[in-house]
Amino acid sequence: MNTKPIDEAKNADLRGSFPALQRAAKRARELAAQTGTKLVVSRGGVIEYIVPTLDHAGQQVQESLKPYANKP
């Protein structure tokens, strides 16, 4: 398995895949907040349900910091 960071990949499509995944995740959070749907994620092999909410001032997604509290 290659251990180099994905942003150092030779293939341009591969280098652009991480930002694309981040955009897709943001859109999924926005859509889930608009429809009142929980997001299902796996962290460390544990399934978690996240309930994102919209900040009505800017229509930005707000999530509890608890799931990310121990992440850098």
Side-chain angles (χ1 to χ4, degrees):
M1 183 169 140
N2 189 346
T3 59
K4 289 183 359 184
I6 199 164
D7 58 345
E8 294 178 10
K10 294 178 184 177
N11 184 301
D13 289 336
L14 190 55
R15 284 192 307 269
S17 64
F18 188 67
L21 286 171
Q22 290 177 315
R23 288 190 305 271
K26 180 181 178 188
R27 179 63 184 130
R29 289 190 301 271
E30 290 170 352
L31 185 59
Q34 291 170 357
T35 60
T37 305
K38 292 180 182 178
L39 293 174
V40 181
V41 296
S42 174
R43 289 199 183 104
V46 177
I47 301 293
E48 296 182 23
Y49 297 89
I50 300 173
V51 182
T53 58
L54 284 179
D55 172 19
H56 295 295
Q59 295 297 308
Q60 297 292 321
V61 174
Q62 299 293 315
E63 293 182 19
S64 167
L65 293 178
K66 184 181 174 191
Y68 304 104
N70 59 357
K71 301 290 180 187

